[in-house]
Amino acid sequence: MDVAPESAGNGLIRIFLLDDHEVVRRGLRDLLDTEPDMTVVGDAADARQALARVPALRPDVAVLDVRLGASGEQANHEGIVVCRELRARLPALACLMLTSFDDDEALFDAIMAGAAGYVLKQIKGSDLVAAVRTVASGQSMLSPEVTARVLSRVRGPAPPAGPPELARLSPREREILDLVGAGLTNRQIADRLYLAEKTVKNRISAILAKLKVERRVQAAVIAERLRDREEPPCP
């Protein structure tokens, strides 16, 4: 069931749900709708429905099941395709991926599709509510441990060349990008380069824009690939 868009502008976090199990969708709706600052504006059972309904409803957060249309480990990652498509149409939309399986490949694909967070369905209800609030505020739900797993996923022989947008970065921006790829926080980068933390934050925002990515971890992946490509092989 979809809710009319009139609830926009009243301060509520507008949420859309995608899951191919009706019981799961109902459970999520019951959980989230009881929060005073949240409202579920619609849901869908498959990718086609989601792609048709979300642009019209304009939610703030889409909670997307990673695996749709099949069961168990053989299910596809169609929810990640939905994330990528919705983010292309609605850049301000925060996508929170929900899955039953701790899958590094799906995690990597979700992050590169622009997901703001990735949580397991075994999560406590209160933690899921907190995750929705986090991504709705523009923050990421990706912990340093998750970021490390993503970076390890791209390490390997013959990584692809970096995107052409790298040529647009200044030497200082390349330096900052390298430190982002090394896992340093804004404060640590500021201390390392003798800059104000606000300056580092602004520089990173500019780097993300030039690289045409939305998330810091996506920039870190690019930096890791570039570092692997440029480092000479060990003798």
Side-chain angles (χ1 to χ4, degrees):
M1 182 181 70
D2 295 340
V3 176
E6 281 78 3
S7 57
N10 60 6
L12 294 178
I13 299 172
R14 297 165 50 79
I15 304 164
F16 189 92
L17 307 174
L18 169 62
D19 196 290
D20 53 1
H21 294 91
E22 182 182 3
V23 171
V24 174
R25 294 198 308 276
R26 286 188 176 185
L28 290 172
R29 181 183 286 273
D30 290 345
L31 171 69
L32 299 172
D33 264 343
T34 58
E35 296 298 317
D37 59 339
M38 297 182 183
T39 181
V40 175
V41 297
D43 62 60
D46 59 42
R48 180 187 57 80
Q49 292 175 354
L51 293 174
R53 294 175 181 174
V54 170
L57 293 169
R58 297 277 171 171
D60 303 302
V61 177
V63 179
L64 309 175
D65 187 9
V66 169
R67 297 169 182 264
L68 300 170
S71 61
E73 294 288 350
Q74 299 305 313
N76 59 41
H77 293 165
E78 196 171 1
I80 295 173
V81 177
V82 173
C83 173
R84 184 179 297 110
E85 289 290 330
L86 291 179
R87 293 277 301 150
R89 299 184 197 180
L90 305 169
L93 176 66
C95 292
L96 180 64
M97 309 308 298
L98 193 61
T99 181
S100 299
F101 302 96
D102 193 7
D103 180 343
D104 279 359
E105 181 179 356
L107 169 62
F108 174 83
D109 290 343
I111 290 174
M112 297 311 292
Y118 187 98
V119 296
L120 297 177
K121 287 185 177 179
Q122 293 89 332
I123 191 173
K124 293 181 180 178
S126 58
D127 290 338
L128 178 60
V129 169
V132 170
R133 290 195 179 106
T134 296
V135 299
S137 70
Q139 301 178 66
S140 172
M141 268 297 296
L142 301 170
S143 67
E145 292 77 15
V146 167
T147 300
R149 286 168 59 189
V150 172
L151 294 180
S152 68
R153 168 74 164 73
V154 300
R155 295 189 179 109
E165 290 82 7
L166 278 171
R168 300 175 58 192
L169 300 186
S170 68
R172 178 61 102 182
E173 288 172 336
R174 283 288 297 271
E175 190 176 11
I176 291 174
L177 178 61
D178 287 341
L179 295 176
V180 169
L184 274 65
T185 65
N186 287 0
R187 166 56 62 188
Q188 291 169 329
I189 294 173
D191 292 343
R192 179 79 63 89
L193 300 180
Y194 303 102
L195 297 172
E197 187 172 359
K198 184 176 181 180
T199 299
V200 172
K201 181 179 180 180
N202 291 339
R203 287 291 188 96
I204 290 176
S205 295
I207 290 168
L208 296 181
K210 289 181 179 182
L211 294 179
K212 298 181 180 179
V213 297
E214 298 286 339
R215 306 286 175 195
R216 181 190 185 100
V217 69
Q218 292 171 303
V221 167
I222 292 172
E224 185 66 31
R225 283 177 167 168
L226 185 66
R227 181 182 298 107
D228 287 347
R229 183 166 60 90
E230 291 180 343
E231 285 180 352
C234 296

